[in-house]
Amino acid sequence: MILCKKAADLTNLLKTISDAQTPIGFVPTMGALHEGHLELLKQSKAATGFTVASIFVNPTQFNDPADFAKYPVTIDKDILALELAGCDLLFLPSVADVYPNGTVPVKPFDLGRLDQLLEGAFRPGHFQGVAQVMQRLLELVMPDKLFMGRKDYQQCMVIARLIAQNKWPIELCMIDTVREPSGLAMSSRNMRLSEAGKEAATAIHRALQSLRAGLRPGPLEPMLLSGRELLEQAGFGKIDYLAIADAQTLEPVESWDGRQKLVALAAAFLEGVRLIDNMTLS
Ligand code: AMP
């Protein structure tokens, strides 16, 4: 695996790959890698000829500085895992390399309502930071295929919008969430949970499953109330949201017509750790 720390070296290296007409796959991450990240890598390797992964804990997407400070860093382990998984190139840039003109964006990204709904409402500025870092990384790598996890469903919608706005010839491949046998979605943040916390956290998956199982045409609020109760009983403290939304626009849906494509999404705190998950319902 090639390890590359400088943006200029990355573009030079990738030019030789794209000149050879080899399709490039890209897996952007913030490190603290787990099986979910490695699944993206596996899918990229299967679908392209050269896989680039990046590890960069992007400061501009953390609306809470304490969350940024607590973000787990396991770089040596990550490099080994990527090497063993057959990653071709790891881009490991510094903040100065990603943001040569500083971290303050020239102008805000037009993310439409995605900036205001769900994660957008609870993490002001988060998706602006995500768009900012992805604009830069995608300009540098310009992959044929970009691999991202459905685990961050709203983030995928933001990136799809960014790709469309820039008219980039990049295919966004959304990969299903990899879960622990217990149902808990794998996440770098799970490392901060106790063993009992990991067990209790499975309630988020159970709540989403109960929404899927209970889905009937008509008002959705009663189902959401029972879902919230399930989370509270399991010990979740603050529930930012447990919501059912249109699978494309993420606008809230109050009553189902039996046809609309829906996604259920949740964000809630357990042991001070903010966990998110989602599930398509129909
Ligand atoms: P992160 O390092 O958390 O920014 O995640 C990097 C990429 O891995 C994003 O596209 C995530 O959606 C994806 N990802 C994170 N957790 C999982 C998971 N459990 N299953 C599949 N993809 C995931």
Side-chain angles (χ1 to χ4, degrees):
M1 180 173 76
I2 305 166
L3 200 149
C4 183
K5 290 190 170 180
K6 293 276 163 225
D9 294 341
L10 177 77
T11 35
N12 285 338
L13 275 160
L14 289 181
K15 186 163 183 323
T16 59
I17 306 296
S18 47
D19 284 354
Q21 312 272 303
T22 305
I24 296 174
F26 182 36
V27 180
T29 81
M30 297 205 298
L33 302 183
H34 50 65
E35 288 302 319
H37 297 113
L38 297 179
E39 180 61 25
L40 305 190
L41 199 97
K42 192 169 138 198
Q43 301 278 344
S44 173
K45 279 184 65 71
T48 68
F50 192 89
T51 291
V52 179
S54 64
I55 297 181
F56 178 65
V57 186
N58 175 34
T60 70
Q61 73 186 66
F62 286 84
N63 51 314
D64 175 3
D67 197 23
F68 177 56
K70 276 188 283 185
Y71 203 82
V73 176
T74 59
I75 194 66
D76 294 337
K77 212 168 135 246
D78 293 350
I79 293 175
L80 186 65
L82 289 172
E83 174 99 57
L84 290 175
C87 177
D88 295 297
L89 189 154
L90 169 60
F91 183 44
L92 201 57
S94 65
V95 173
D97 249 285
V98 174
Y99 299 117
N101 303 318
T103 52
V104 180
V106 183
K107 64 176 173 70
F109 290 83
D110 169 16
L111 303 178
R113 296 262 301 148
L114 288 173
D115 234 3
Q116 288 145 44
L117 300 165
L118 303 164
E119 287 295 280
F122 285 93
R123 301 187 67 190
H126 169 65
F127 286 129
Q128 287 294 324
V130 168
Q132 193 189 3
V133 74
M134 288 304 290
Q135 174 91 29
R136 172 73 170 146
L137 291 176
L138 290 175
E139 276 169 357
L140 286 173
V141 178
M142 205 39 77
D144 297 277
K145 293 177 193 276
L146 169 67
F147 294 84
M148 302 196 78
R150 261 177 212 278
K151 156 94 178 9
D152 298 281
Y153 192 91
Q154 196 170 357
Q155 172 170 271
C156 288
M157 300 294 130
V158 166
I159 301 309
R161 193 180 164 100
L162 187 72
I163 291 173
Q165 280 170 346
N166 283 282
K167 300 193 173 66
W168 285 323
I170 300 175
E171 182 191 342
L172 174 61
C173 306
M174 284 173 63
I175 307 302
D176 285 346
T177 303
V178 178
R179 298 177 181 280
E180 302 285 356
S182 64
L184 177 64
M186 289 196 182
S187 163
S188 310
R189 289 164 194 264
N190 295 353
M191 285 181 197
R192 287 166 42 205
L193 294 172
S194 69
E195 282 313 307
K198 281 184 191 144
E199 184 50 44
T202 59
I204 210 163
H205 183 233
R206 280 184 278 121
L208 294 169
Q209 275 181 318
S210 77
L211 295 180
R212 182 190 262 175
L215 184 68
R216 307 275 181 281
L220 300 172
E221 189 53 28
M223 262 195 345
L224 289 169
L225 277 175
S226 345
R228 276 187 209 113
E229 267 168 31
L230 206 153
L231 292 180
E232 278 159 8
Q233 277 159 14
F236 276 87
K238 186 167 175 279
I239 300 171
D240 276 352
Y241 56 82
L242 177 67
I244 297 179
D246 179 276
Q248 211 56 46
T249 63
L250 291 181
E251 291 289 347
V253 177
E254 273 157 28
S255 185
W256 188 45
D257 62 6
R259 290 188 309 274
Q260 191 175 12
K261 291 217 182 330
L262 301 177
V263 61
L265 309 102
F269 287 83
L270 189 80
E271 297 182 340
V273 184
R274 188 173 187 275
L275 299 173
I276 62 167
D277 201 350
N278 67 79
M279 191 176 279
T280 46
L281 298 188
S282 51

